[in-house]
Amino acid sequence: MVGLDTEVLQRWVLALPIVFEGNLERLNGLDTQAGDGDHGTTILRGVQAAARATESLPSPVLAKGLLETAGSAFRRAAGGASGPLFACIFTELAKMIENNCLSGVGLAQGLENAALLIHRLGKAEIGDRTLLDALFPAAQAAKSAPSNLGAALDAAMDAAEKGVAATATMVARKGRARFVNAGEVHSPDAGATSIELILRTLNEVYRS
Ligand code: ADP
Ligand code: MG
């Protein structure tokens, strides 16, 4: 397959509530150590709303409309600081759909555009211990292998995983986590962990 088509993208959106249900306690736990403990609940609410909204789209469902719908449903349902930020991933990928498909180039560019938009909206820099510390390196890694979709997805996932690990030693400067004594936190950032899960799920549905 040369790109992620409507069928794969729909399976991705429908798989996310299952993945985040399984990671609910873990993500809330990470957010408890450096935040208010609701990140898993917030993300799960968002992906559940996104899945429901795409399921009720009239057919034929097109890839662009699917991701736009997922993004706006996520933004409305999730709320909090992270809701509008995570929604950018769906809406920026939607903009890169061509011929009803998301290519490796579109994936890489969409992830980078999402990272840049999240940076503009949330004002976090790389190294501030946020979701950007997983998303930005993932986008850069995908850009290094964009003509091969499978390789781009693998590279993005690996870079996100390394980015998540690196957040464990970072000092939070954005969001509620900035109020926590840095010396007390040794776990990775909750939002960055969610980015890794989102990309891992996309890679898995593409390969299954
Ligand atoms: P809230 O802070 O409203 O409780 P969540 O708990 O859902 O939101 O999400 C917290 C996560 O959001 C953090 O772990 C971090 O990754 C991300 N985050 C918070 N503020 C920002 C920001 N300004 N820019 C980018 N990501 C952010
Ligand atoms: Mg929180």
Side-chain angles (χ1 to χ4, degrees), residues 31 36-39 176:
D31 194 34
D36 56 356
D38 67 349
H39 180 65
R176 297 173 207 273

Side-chain angles (χ1 to χ4, degrees), residues 126 132-142 155-156 159-160 163:
I126 298 301
L132 280 180
D133 293 306
L135 182 58
F136 191 69
Q140 295 309 109

Side-chain angles (χ1 to χ4, degrees), residues 31 36 38-39 42 80-82 85 118 122 124 130-131 174-176 189-192:
D31 194 34
D36 56 356
D38 67 349
H39 180 65
T42 300
S82 61
L85 303 181
I118 290 169
T130 72
L131 61 90
K174 288 286 172 230
R176 297 173 207 273
D189 176 62

Side-chain angles (χ1 to χ4, degrees), residues 21-140:
E21 234 167 272
N23 284 277
L24 177 66
E25 300 307 325
R26 177 179 163 222
L27 293 170
N28 280 342
L30 291 175
D31 194 34
T32 300
Q33 292 176 54
D36 56 356
D38 67 349
H39 180 65
T41 306
T42 300
I43 289 283
L44 179 59
R45 197 168 55 236
V47 292
Q48 282 174 336
R52 267 197 309 274
T54 59
E55 275 182 313
S56 49
L57 281 172
S59 55
V61 177
L62 300 177
K64 197 184 189 71
L66 179 96
L67 292 183
E68 282 169 351
T69 300
S72 47
F74 186 101
R75 184 184 303 107
R76 277 195 306 274
S82 61
L85 303 181
F86 275 93
C88 295
I89 297 168
F90 298 106
T91 51
E92 290 304 311
L93 289 178
K95 290 179 191 163
M96 301 313 297
I97 303 270
E98 272 177 16
N99 301 321
N100 216 17
C101 226
L102 185 65
S103 66
V105 174
L107 173 78
Q109 193 60 56
L111 292 178
E112 185 179 71
N113 291 347
L116 293 172
L117 181 56
I118 290 169
H119 164 66
R120 277 207 301 279
L121 292 172
K123 311 268 187 292
E125 303 291 340
I126 298 301
D128 280 355
R129 192 186 151 90
T130 72
L131 61 90
L132 280 180
D133 293 306
L135 182 58
F136 191 69
Q140 295 309 109

